[in-house]
Amino acid sequence: MTTSSSLWQPFTLGRIELPHRLALSPLTRSRANADGTPGPLAATYYAQRASLGLLITEGTQPSDDGQGYPNTPGIYTPEQIEGWRKVADAVHAAGGALFIQLMHVGRVSHPDNTPHHRQSVAPSAISADDDIFTATGLQKTPGPREMTAQDIQTTIADFRHAAASAIAAGADGVEIHGANGYLLHQFLSPNANHRTDSYGGSVENRSRFVIEVARAVAEEIGADRVGIRLSPAVPLGGIDEGDTDSVRTQYRHLVGELAPLNLAYLHVHHVGDDELLRSFREVWPTALVVVRLGRTREQIADDIDAGLADIAPLGRFALANPDIVERLRTDAPLNEVDPATLYGGGEAGYTDYPTLAHA
């Protein structure tokens, strides 16, 4: 076994008992139906990976405004709730737990991709200046509309409603996506947030929206059913958070303010500042979930062994290997990811990766 024995220790995360320290990382697959309901193969896809224990779903929009890419799922209409119920039932039948990731993309969007075809919203009217996939090919993200004070309150309410909808669908919890250049991350970043009200300017003000979303969701469904994902210094979606000191100041404040909420976990998309990660570990009262960029198979347990993480989610390894847990336990070879089938399409590259039993 090339992976450390620490990976195979059970763990209690919020209300769920996990059999080990692995999980499924959230992975956009762009295979939902046009109305935002999970596609017919989604239940199969997630159930195939149920041995990972904690399954964090692909980014799922909490509103029409929250959608960025074509064919991503939502969790705010009765039809979407019904679609996700099939997924949750399949995952539970296979022994896994499901957390639906709530992802509002903010300015990382295009009117061609949303149900209402409106201009995107963001903390400030500053474009991500990024390329985005649309039905007609790659296009530039257009400039967003600056959110009003009422827009901010409406969006917090949308997150609250989406969390309640996830629980109504049978999910075990939700993960708030505060990372990777999307709306919450845009509020945190000084180059995307030029507001002069109580949601912009200082570190405290830029953190306010994230804290208010987390508090509202925790109030709605229980803090022990809520995780939050952060990505300090990750420059996706046109984000630039400044130098190392600026990033540390921002995130130490934010994590310190989130810690008293006693959420089920903090999920860190980590790009290498171990000093910052250690400071999270010192103040965070519950589980720390860490995805480290560029990690090899042999390094999966390193952060757990170092005391920097409790859970090590898998992305591409799990995407290409539905039975990744068995393969790691038995030192079996791994399938390689087919990049051409990552986004959109049908079962090819989605539900047809071979297991050891069928290889």
Side-chain angles (χ1 to χ4, degrees):
M1 192 184 294
T2 54
T3 47
S4 164
S5 62
S6 62
L7 271 188
W8 310 116
Q9 305 303 312
F11 188 78
T12 303
L13 182 141
R15 302 184 188 189
I16 57 177
E17 300 295 327
L18 299 175
H20 49 61
R21 305 307 185 89
L22 296 169
L24 176 66
S25 196
L27 298 158
T28 293
R29 304 309 308 273
S30 293
R31 283 169 167 86
N33 296 319
D35 66 351
T37 58
L41 292 171
T44 302
Y45 169 76
Y46 284 108
Q48 283 176 340
R49 288 154 181 80
S51 64
L52 279 159
L54 172 65
L55 308 185
I56 307 168
T57 73
E58 62 212 279
T60 303
Q61 55 263 14
S63 64
D64 287 354
D65 279 341
Q67 182 166 2
Y69 306 100
N71 299 108
T72 53
I75 183 65
Y76 55 98
T77 70
E79 294 77 18
Q80 291 162 358
I81 292 170
E82 281 307 307
W84 277 112
R85 183 174 285 118
K86 293 175 184 148
V87 178
D89 287 349
V91 167
H92 292 150
L98 190 77
F99 271 55
I100 296 177
Q101 188 192 61
L102 306 182
M103 179 174 89
H104 191 307
V105 300
R107 67 186 190 174
V108 184
S109 183
H110 195 283
D112 288 359
N113 292 344
T114 63
H116 55 30
H117 305 302
R118 288 206 300 259
Q119 184 181 18
S120 62
V121 297
S124 298
I126 302 168
S127 171
D129 194 29
D130 218 351
D131 291 326
I132 192 165
F133 284 104
T134 70
T136 55
L138 276 180
Q139 297 193 55
K140 276 284 180 199
T141 51
R145 175 175 67 79
E146 179 169 316
M147 295 169 76
T148 65
Q150 183 56 55
D151 289 331
I152 288 175
Q153 294 309 310
T154 298
T155 304
I156 293 169
D158 287 342
F159 271 94
R160 186 188 279 271
H161 172 69
S165 299
I167 299 304
D172 299 280
V174 301
E175 175 176 289
I176 299 164
H177 199 345
N180 294 26
Y182 299 124
L183 182 65
L184 276 67
H185 199 185
Q186 291 157 29
F187 270 88
L188 295 173
S189 180
N191 83 319
N193 181 351
H194 290 185
R195 299 179 73 91
T196 56
D197 63 2
S198 61
Y199 291 93
S202 66
V203 163
E204 291 78 11
N205 284 357
R206 291 201 310 271
S207 301
R208 190 180 311 277
F209 178 66
V210 179
I211 295 162
E212 288 181 357
V213 168
R215 185 178 294 123
V217 170
E219 285 174 359
E220 187 66 31
I221 64 171
D224 56 357
R225 295 202 279 203
V226 181
I228 188 165
R229 188 181 220 215
L230 303 175
S231 59
V234 170
L236 293 171
I239 293 293
D240 182 352
E241 297 186 277
D243 62 19
T244 300
D245 286 345
S246 300
V247 172
R248 287 177 178 175
T249 301
Q250 175 68 66
Y251 282 92
R252 283 172 174 158
H253 171 77
L254 176 62
V255 170
E257 291 294 308
L258 290 170
L261 297 178
N262 274 304
L263 305 181
Y265 65 84
L266 170 63
H267 185 178
V268 182
H269 181 177
H270 186 55
V271 290
D273 186 349
D274 284 0
E275 184 179 322
L276 183 60
L277 189 58
R278 273 190 288 273
S279 72
F280 294 166
R281 175 52 109 187
E282 288 166 9
V283 301
W284 193 255
T286 61
L288 202 53
V289 177
V290 178
V291 168
R292 188 180 285 266
L293 204 64
R295 189 182 49 186
T296 66
R297 174 180 183 157
E298 290 71 31
Q299 294 168 326
I300 291 169
D302 284 2
D303 287 321
I304 297 170
D305 290 338
L308 291 174
D310 300 299
I311 304 287
L314 302 178
R316 287 176 169 244
F317 288 144
L319 185 155
N321 299 274
D323 55 350
I324 183 65
V325 174
E326 184 184 355
R327 288 174 188 261
L328 291 176
R329 281 189 189 275
T330 60
D331 257 347
L334 301 181
N335 301 321
E336 292 294 322
V337 169
D338 175 9
T341 58
L342 285 176
Y343 306 114
E347 55 186 87
Y350 188 50
T351 55
D352 69 343
Y353 278 106
T355 60
L356 287 171
H358 298 98

